[in-house]
């Protein structure tokens, strides 16, 4: 650890003495304090690379093959490593899919019940919400109005199949915990 600090200090001093700009000094310092690595990971996640990107690509392809078009993609992330994607089905605001990829299964178990309640299927006279969980991923299908539940069977089959294929060694037969 001491050696890293000494190396960083020497490089910083050398760059200042050779006339490097503050911006260049900050970039070089970022390489030694893991800031650059963390920024790269966040950038890769937001660009759909890595496991999230493979999952999203497979999901879009599977839904398209089944003539279910996912449109109006939105993306959000928080500072804790959790990412959410939201789509309309066939540009219909009454048919929506939200995918949450959490940093851990425990994070999923803490957040999803807080946001959506503890029932896997919640239905009112106008709205149907279905929650599918596996490992650290949650898919929420929300439908409203006269077409409530229109894509329920397709969403469940497609989501389960995609997660089984992309399962990262946690057991292809593991369906993850569901809320009862």
């Amino acid at each position: 650890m001491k050696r890293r600090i000494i190396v960083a200090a020497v490089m910083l001093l050398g760059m200042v003495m050779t006339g490097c700009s503050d911006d260049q000094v900050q970039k070089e310092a970022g390489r030694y304090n893991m800031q650059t690595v963390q920024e790269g990971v966040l950038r890769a996640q937001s660009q759909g690379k890595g496991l999230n990107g493979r999952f999203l690509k497979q999901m879009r392809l599977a839904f398209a093959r089944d003539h279910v078009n996912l449109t109006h993609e939105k993306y959000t992330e928080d500072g804790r490593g959790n990412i959410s994607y939201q789509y309309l089905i066939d540009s219909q605001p009454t048919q929506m899919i939200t995918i949450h990829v959490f940093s851990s299964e425990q994070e999923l178990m803490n957040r999803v019940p807080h946001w959506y309640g503890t029932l896997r299927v919640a239905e009112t006279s106008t709205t149907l919400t279905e929650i599918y969980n596996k490992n650290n991923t949650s898919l929420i299908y929300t439908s409203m109005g006269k077409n409530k539940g229109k894509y329920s069977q397709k969403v469940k089959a497609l989501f389960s199949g995609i997660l089984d294929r992309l399962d990262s060694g946690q057991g292809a037969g593991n369906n993850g915990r569901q809320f009862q």
Side-chain angles (χ1 to χ4, degrees):
M1 185 67 177
K2 275 186 172 180
R3 184 177 177 156
R4 276 191 188 166
I5 294 171
I6 292 171
V7 169
V10 169
M11 290 184 73
L12 185 62
L13 180 62
M15 288 171 29
V16 169
M17 293 180 74
T18 60
C20 291
S21 71
D22 283 341
D23 187 46
Q24 289 170 318
V25 170
Q26 291 300 323
K27 281 183 183 176
E28 194 62 31
R31 291 181 183 155
Y32 290 95
N33 68 11
M34 294 300 287
Q35 177 184 352
T36 304
V37 172
Q38 292 168 344
E39 288 171 357
V41 168
L42 287 174
R43 192 169 30 259
Q45 289 173 338
S46 68
Q47 293 171 354
K49 297 179 181 170
L51 181 59
N52 294 348
R54 282 191 1 238
F55 169 73
L56 293 173
K57 182 178 179 180
Q58 291 297 317
M59 188 190 69
R60 282 188 215 110
L61 289 171
F63 275 65
R65 277 192 301 270
D66 213 354
H67 306 290
V68 179
N69 297 313
L70 300 179
T71 62
H72 298 78
E73 179 181 86
K74 293 180 184 177
Y75 162 85
T76 59
E77 65 180 295
D78 64 12
R80 297 165 51 166
N82 304 312
I83 301 171
S84 297
Y85 303 89
Q86 192 171 58
Y87 301 90
L88 297 181
I89 298 176
D90 289 324
S91 299
Q92 299 173 41
T94 60
Q95 304 291 320
M96 184 178 2
I97 291 177
T98 305
I99 299 163
H100 301 287
V101 181
F102 294 96
S103 57
S104 68
E105 186 175 353
Q106 185 59 45
E107 186 79 4
L108 178 149
M109 298 304 291
N110 290 335
R111 295 267 185 115
V112 171
H114 179 72
W115 292 339
Y116 299 100
T118 57
L119 298 175
R120 193 186 72 70
V121 177
E123 187 170 6
T124 67
S125 61
T126 58
T127 306
L128 173 68
T129 300
E130 299 175 47
I131 302 172
Y132 303 100
N133 298 311
K134 183 159 182 172
N135 303 326
N136 67 329
T137 306
S138 185
L139 179 133
I140 314 300
Y141 169 57
T142 305
S143 58
M144 297 167 262
K146 65 180 179 181
N147 289 323
K148 179 174 73 170
K150 179 179 178 180
Y151 296 100
S152 289
Q153 294 304 315
K154 284 185 179 185
V155 166
K156 181 179 182 179
L158 290 167
F159 183 65
S160 298
I162 293 163
L163 284 178
D164 284 342
R165 285 195 304 273
L166 292 177
D167 201 343
S168 59
Q170 296 180 4
N174 177 9
N175 291 326
R177 286 191 261 169
Q178 296 285 334
F179 302 112
Q180 301 300 326

